[in-house]
Amino acid sequence: MPIEVILPKVDMDMSHGTLATWHVAEGDLVQQGAPLFDIETDKAAMEVEAPATGYLRMVTAKPGDKVAVGTTIGWIYREGEGEAAAPAPSAPIMAAAPVPMDTLQPIEVILPKVDMDMSHGTLAVWHVAEGETVKQGAPLFDIETDKAAMEVEAPASGRLHHIRAIPGDQVPVGAVVAWIYPEGMAVGPPPTPVEVEHKSILTAEAVAPIKAVVFAETIVTTTKRATPAARSAAREAGLFLSDIAGTGPLGRIQRDDVTGLIALRSGPAAVEPTLSAGWTAETGPLNISRRKGDGNPVVLLHGFTADSQSWAPFEKAFSPGRPLIRIDLPGHGKSPKRQIRSFQDLSRMMVEAFDDATRDVRQVHLVGHSLGAALALALAPQAPQI
């Protein structure tokens, strides 16, 4: 029997989703688990995988269509299966009835499941700081996986307390990341112990003293919303998300927004006469090299006309087990050459490289020399890990 391709539910109150793009044309072969199509809602963007291996046929929705959750939008026919009339689709998935809240108890804020094989998600950003008031249904935090980016709404109205995950933490599906206390309710200790998995090379001893500080002050950022595919494409092209206009829901940046800007900048009109003859800007992320070890890593930023190797004499002063992260400045060492219009431009490039290099780390030390020292000063206020 052919396999139904349905539009899944990607957030708790979702009833419809917009089909953004098909990754496979009708009649083409697709492998189970390969990207099949993208959907978008006001709060989420998700890449949906093929539920089986076979040929995609009888597609009933095109990009831009608004489709009800649970609707069959195509069929996958296995090798050798004859194409006949489409089988009767199953009934659309009905939304679960809301669960009454006990206003006398704090409400758990959990990390939801946004794709079928998801076991963990990365908490990308909090939209509300600890102790602040939030309304039910208002944006509370964003999560990301390899295939989806989703804005999670507050499950109740009240004040946010006992936050247990910071941006960059990898959290198991269903884990409690905070509680919302109804207005006027006294705040005590967390109702239950919470175990959040931090993607980090820190030892247990190193993490322990950090927790009290992290939970007392929540970092709320204004990072632009972007799908995982868009973030990856922007990094590869050496673009800043802040320079890209998003066309998705709530201004979310899509992969097409990135490729469109790349095409615009690579056209004849994009060539600036001030560039030296024969000089061409290069794409790709800045070069990052590492030395493995235990404890809090030291991030090293070299000076003008140097590279990461210039730290070699100083590295001997560190204990052999101290982990190091070295970042080559643009146009230095193994990093690509980039056109830099100002120190602010350079600082933004280093912030993005630093974020990539320390994504799985809770706390670091930052050391810079010469131009690298100036960049370290510009970077420090924007990096909660330092």
Side-chain angles (χ1 to χ4, degrees):
M1 291 290 294
I3 308 298
E4 289 180 78
V5 176
I6 66 169
L7 188 109
K9 187 171 185 175
V10 301
D11 63 65
M12 292 174 285
D13 59 353
M14 174 182 171
S15 61
H16 291 74
T18 300
L19 195 147
T21 183
W22 284 99
H23 296 295
V24 178
E26 185 163 359
D28 283 355
L29 177 67
V30 63
Q31 298 294 323
Q32 182 175 2
L36 185 58
F37 63 94
D38 290 355
I39 57 175
E40 294 177 353
T41 71
D42 290 341
K43 301 181 291 297
M46 178 178 175
E47 183 179 84
V48 181
E49 297 178 350
T53 297
Y55 292 90
L56 180 65
R57 302 189 189 280
M58 299 186 181
V59 172
T60 60
K62 63 182 185 299
D65 284 352
K66 189 173 182 180
V67 184
V69 167
T71 300
T72 301
I73 57 175
W75 302 85
I76 293 179
Y77 283 72
R78 301 183 189 280
E79 189 76 36
E81 267 188 331
E83 182 179 350
S90 355
I93 300 168
M94 301 301 293
V99 179
M101 294 187 304
D102 183 353
T103 57
L104 299 179
Q105 296 293 328
I107 309 301
E108 292 182 343
V109 177
I110 66 170
L111 188 110
K113 187 170 186 174
V114 301
D115 63 64
M116 291 176 286
D117 59 352
M118 173 182 171
S119 62
H120 292 71
T122 300
L123 195 146
V125 59
W126 282 99
H127 298 296
V128 179
E130 178 147 355
E132 289 187 345
T133 300
V134 63
K135 295 292 186 182
Q136 182 176 4
L140 187 56
F141 63 95
D142 288 359
I143 58 175
E144 293 181 354
T145 71
D146 291 340
K147 300 184 288 296
M150 177 178 173
E151 184 178 82
V152 181
E153 296 179 350
S157 296
R159 291 187 179 275
L160 185 67
H161 289 287
H162 302 311
I163 289 176
R164 290 309 196 203
I166 64 172
D169 281 348
Q170 190 179 63
V171 185
V173 168
V176 180
V177 294
W179 282 267
I180 293 177
Y181 281 70
E183 198 65 44
M185 182 179 179
V187 179
T192 55
V194 177
E195 291 296 331
V196 175
E197 178 184 341
H198 301 289
K199 286 185 68 180
S200 170
I201 61 173
L202 299 182
T203 61
E205 292 76 14
V207 172
I210 299 172
K211 289 186 177 179
V213 178
V214 171
F215 296 161
E217 180 179 358
T218 305
I219 295 101
V220 179
T221 68
T222 55
T223 304
K224 292 193 73 171
R225 295 182 175 90
T227 65
R231 291 182 186 278
S232 176
R235 280 196 298 269
E236 291 175 4
L239 297 176
F240 300 115
L241 293 179
S242 57
D243 292 339
I244 305 171
T247 59
L250 298 178
R252 191 183 299 276
I253 299 171
Q254 313 296 310
R255 184 181 180 85
D256 287 348
D257 298 328
V258 180
T259 55
L261 182 59
I262 293 172
L264 182 65
R265 290 189 172 183
S266 62
V271 178
E272 299 187 13
T274 55
L275 297 180
S276 302
W279 188 91
T280 304
E282 299 170 341
T283 60
L286 299 186
N287 180 61
I288 299 170
S289 58
R290 302 172 187 270
R291 186 179 81 180
K292 294 182 179 180
D294 296 318
N296 297 335
V298 178
V299 179
L300 302 172
L301 305 182
H302 63 77
F304 185 62
T305 72
D307 59 28
S308 295
Q309 298 305 312
S310 63
W311 289 106
F314 300 94
E315 291 179 8
K316 297 177 182 178
F318 295 115
S319 62
R322 171 69 64 178
L324 303 176
I325 300 174
R326 317 174 193 88
I327 304 176
D328 277 331
L329 274 57
H332 294 68
K334 297 181 180 178
S335 284
K337 293 182 289 185
R338 293 183 180 175
Q339 185 178 3
I340 301 171
R341 298 177 178 84
S342 65
F343 181 78
Q344 183 181 14
D345 262 4
L346 178 58
S347 298
R348 286 157 59 194
M349 293 179 190
M350 296 305 294
V351 168
E352 291 193 359
F354 177 87
D355 287 346
D356 283 343
T358 62
R359 191 176 302 278
D360 300 337
V361 181
R362 286 290 305 280
Q363 191 175 51
V364 301
H365 303 289
L366 183 59
V367 177
H369 171 253
S370 182
L371 178 58
L375 290 168
L377 289 173
L379 176 61
Q382 305 179 59
Q385 305 99 314
I386 299 174

